[in-house]
């Protein structure tokens, strides 16, 4: 296509910058491990919310109230789980500054990169059934796919795709996604990008390459990624508001519309279809009630859907992530900063945290849980605000100081 040679020159300049940043900020995957072993989800005994934990939760709720008034996006939905129980569910603000309709627990938001956590869970379900294996080679399912190096193409596995250790420079061709170039048109030109590192040795965050997992799942199951996600996760968990298309969220009457900041606060912006072509990376829509069910699964309470062995595999460090990376800022200092398969991992004060955040088209979302304490939290918002990104580390900090 004619636009690629023109775009590629500019894109390669961007990619060269990312390579330099990656070399300065990232570390290799050699000896990536927790300082202390993470608990087995089957063996974690979660007691009801203690008085100290309740005090910490009350303090966090007060912080949320104040922060939303001072810094908040137009709308926000927050839930906290202790074990299998929802101990806080709260909504703030409006779906749309123009209509002033209030946010409800069943209001639908885009999840952005919080979507990334669904792909490894779906893969894990297929692994436990023997349909896929973590170290299956991408080439076995996608024989026409190629990286710049033929040897690297033959080495690339599902584990590498899900852990962002493909060897590609950081955010390869995310700029084209921002220009709304479809994934299927970008995929063939990945072979023109010189690899910055050997496959499996370096963490460099991706959106395009990450979405290869959706193509593999389609080949393995005969269903599209969205169909497989709906059948194997959404429907079983009762995630009635969840979907994987722009049309679904645009057609919903209870959608939190995206907003951008301005001098007076926030203004409504267009609900665009950017990044929906990379469904595994950023294509899921859901409401707060859906995400409560999703947290239950992640914390090990839905063994009927995914067993603990497959689930725990996602939360093992695959690659170190430099603490200076922007998304880790609010967690510092930490003992371990890593990426598993579709999930960010932090070890701090001998506790293990699994989390991810996302931002796209005016939506900001965060989700995470502490394996030892059995505490999980999710935030969905329809406008960018730094306090939303700070909420998880602040919540868990309060719980470490005041909780069990």
């Amino acid at each position: 296509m004619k636009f690629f040679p023109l775009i590629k020159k500019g894109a390669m300049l961007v990619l060269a910058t990312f390579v330099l940043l990656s070399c300065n900020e990232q570390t290799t995957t050699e000896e990536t491990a927790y300082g202390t072993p993470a608990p087995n989800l089957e063996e974690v005994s979660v007691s009801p919310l203690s008085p100290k934990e309740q005090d910490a939760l009350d303090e966090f709720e007060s912080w949320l109230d104040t922060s939303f008034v001072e810094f908040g996006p137009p709308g926000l939905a927050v839930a906290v789980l202790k074990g299998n129980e929802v101990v806080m569910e709260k909504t703030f603000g409006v779906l749309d500054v123009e209509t002033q309709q209030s946010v409800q627990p069943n209001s639908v938001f885009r999840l952005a990169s919080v979507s990334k956590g669904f792909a490894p869970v779906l893969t894990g379900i297929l692994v436990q059934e023997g349909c896929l294996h973590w170290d299956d080679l991408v080439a076995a399912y996608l024989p026409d796919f190629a990286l710049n190096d033929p040897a690297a193409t033959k080495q690339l596995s599902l584990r590498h795709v899900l852990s962002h250790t493909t060897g590609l420079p950081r955010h390869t061709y995310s700029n084209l996604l921002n220009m709304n170039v479809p994934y299927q048109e970008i995929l063939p030109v990945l072979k023109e990008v010189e690899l910055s590192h050997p496959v499996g040795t370096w963490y460099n965050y991706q959106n395009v390459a990450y979405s290869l997992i959706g193509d593999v799942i389609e080949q393995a199951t005969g269903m599209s990624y969205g169909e497989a996600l709906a059948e194997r996760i959404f429907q079983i968990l009762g995630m009635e508001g969840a979907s994987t298309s722009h049309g679904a969220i645009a057609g919903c009457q209870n959608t939190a519309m995206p907003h951008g900041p301005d001098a007076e606060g926030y203004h409504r912006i267009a609900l665009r279809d950017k990044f929906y072509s990379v469904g595994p990376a950023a294509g899921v829509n859901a409401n707060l009630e859906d995400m409560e069910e999703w947290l239950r699964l992640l914390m090990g309470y839905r063994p009927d859907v995914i067993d603990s062995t497959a689930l725990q595999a996602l939360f093992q460090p695959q690659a170190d992530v430099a603490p200076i990376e922007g998304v880790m800022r609010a967690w510092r200092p930490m003992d371990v900063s890593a990426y598993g398969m579709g999930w960010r991992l932090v070890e701090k004060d001998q506790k293990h945290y699994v989390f991810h955040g996302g931002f796209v088209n005016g939506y900001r979302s965060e989700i995470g849980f502490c394996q030892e304490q059995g505490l999980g939290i999710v935030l969905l918002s329809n406008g960018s605000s730094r306090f939303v990104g700070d909420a998880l580390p602040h919540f868990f900090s309060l719980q470490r100081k005041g909780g069990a």
Side-chain angles (χ1 to χ4, degrees):
M1 300 187 69
K2 291 184 178 179
F3 57 81
F4 273 119
L6 178 61
I7 291 176
K8 190 174 68 173
K9 292 180 182 179
M12 289 307 295
L13 290 175
V14 174
L15 289 171
T17 302
F18 281 138
V19 173
L20 291 173
L21 288 172
S22 298
C23 290
N24 289 331
E25 295 183 5
Q26 308 304 323
T27 54
T28 67
T29 60
E30 295 178 6
E31 299 183 359
T32 298
Y34 283 128
T36 56
N40 187 311
L41 292 176
E42 280 189 325
E43 298 173 357
V44 174
S45 177
V46 178
S47 59
L49 202 67
S50 71
K52 288 185 177 180
E53 288 173 329
Q54 183 63 61
D55 288 345
L57 180 59
D58 292 342
E59 184 176 348
F60 175 73
E61 186 172 356
S62 177
W63 176 84
L64 270 181
D65 293 341
T66 302
S67 298
F68 181 79
V69 171
E70 187 171 357
F71 307 111
L76 178 70
V78 186
V80 174
L81 273 69
K82 171 67 172 179
N84 202 22
E85 181 185 357
V86 176
V87 294
M88 188 187 91
E89 179 183 84
K90 193 164 185 176
T91 59
F92 302 77
V94 298
L95 301 177
D96 186 333
V97 294
E98 296 178 4
T99 67
Q100 291 293 301
Q101 182 180 349
S102 297
V103 175
Q104 302 295 329
N106 63 347
S107 299
V108 177
F109 294 75
R110 281 197 74 172
L111 301 187
S113 282
V114 168
S115 304
K116 285 185 171 71
F118 288 85
V121 170
L122 180 55
T123 304
I125 292 169
L126 298 174
V127 166
Q128 73 185 16
E129 295 174 352
C131 181
L132 291 174
H133 301 87
W134 296 117
D135 295 309
D136 281 351
L137 300 179
V138 171
Y141 299 92
L142 308 175
D144 295 332
F145 173 74
L147 293 170
N148 185 257
D149 178 357
T153 303
K154 294 177 182 178
Q155 296 168 3
L156 188 68
S157 72
L158 309 191
R159 186 186 301 274
H160 298 141
V161 169
L162 291 168
S163 62
H164 302 290
T165 57
T166 61
L168 287 162
R170 189 168 182 253
H171 272 293
T172 294
Y173 287 138
S174 289
N175 60 325
L176 297 186
L177 293 172
N178 276 315
M179 297 167 66
N180 222 16
V181 179
Y183 164 74
Q184 292 298 339
E185 295 181 18
I186 303 173
L187 197 61
V189 299
L190 286 182
K191 65 178 179 289
E192 301 178 19
V193 180
E194 185 175 348
L195 298 185
S196 59
H197 301 92
V199 170
T201 65
W202 213 270
Y203 162 85
N204 276 325
Y205 194 82
Q206 306 292 331
N207 286 304
V208 175
Y210 189 87
S211 297
L212 284 165
I213 193 64
D215 298 336
V216 170
I217 288 171
E218 182 172 350
Q219 290 299 313
T221 65
M223 294 186 286
S224 72
Y225 176 75
E227 290 169 342
L229 205 59
E231 182 176 301
R232 304 307 303 270
I233 295 180
F234 296 164
Q235 293 172 14
I236 296 174
L237 295 185
M239 296 176 64
E240 297 179 357
S243 61
T244 54
S245 73
H246 175 262
I249 194 171
C252 176
Q253 298 301 308
N254 192 16
T255 292
M257 302 305 293
H259 295 78
D262 57 33
E264 299 179 356
Y266 289 86
H267 62 277
R268 162 86 176 272
I269 61 176
L271 179 60
R272 303 189 185 280
D273 61 356
K274 290 194 301 184
F275 280 79
Y276 276 106
S277 68
V278 285
V284 177
N285 315 307
N287 62 43
L288 187 63
E289 293 171 342
D290 298 329
M291 298 305 285
E292 292 166 359
E293 297 304 322
W294 179 233
L295 261 177
R296 287 187 172 103
L297 178 144
L298 295 173
M299 293 166 67
Y301 292 100
R302 291 304 303 264
D304 57 314
V305 180
I306 182 169
D307 63 37
S308 62
T309 300
L311 190 59
Q312 198 71 39
L314 315 184
F315 310 142
Q316 298 305 308
Q318 303 295 322
D320 292 338
V321 176
I324 61 173
E325 185 167 292
V327 295
M328 311 305 294
R329 171 188 52 79
W331 291 88
R332 297 196 294 258
M334 65 197 89
D335 301 312
V336 173
S337 170
Y339 205 93
M341 288 191 281
W343 292 94
R344 298 189 182 279
L345 309 172
V346 160
E347 181 184 348
K348 190 177 177 77
D349 299 333
Q350 296 188 325
K351 288 186 169 56
H352 299 82
Y353 301 97
V354 177
F355 70 101
H356 216 290
F359 172 76
V360 71
N361 188 213
Y363 292 95
R364 180 74 187 263
S365 56
E366 299 285 336
I367 188 170
F369 66 96
C370 175
Q371 293 178 281
E372 285 83 1
Q373 290 181 289
L375 281 165
I377 180 171
V378 58
L379 299 93
L380 308 175
S381 73
N382 59 350
S384 178
S385 177
R386 180 167 170 172
F387 101 85
V388 176
D390 290 344
L392 262 67
H394 183 63
F395 169 76
F396 289 119
S397 175
L398 291 174
Q399 288 295 338
R400 283 195 304 276
K401 293 173 182 175

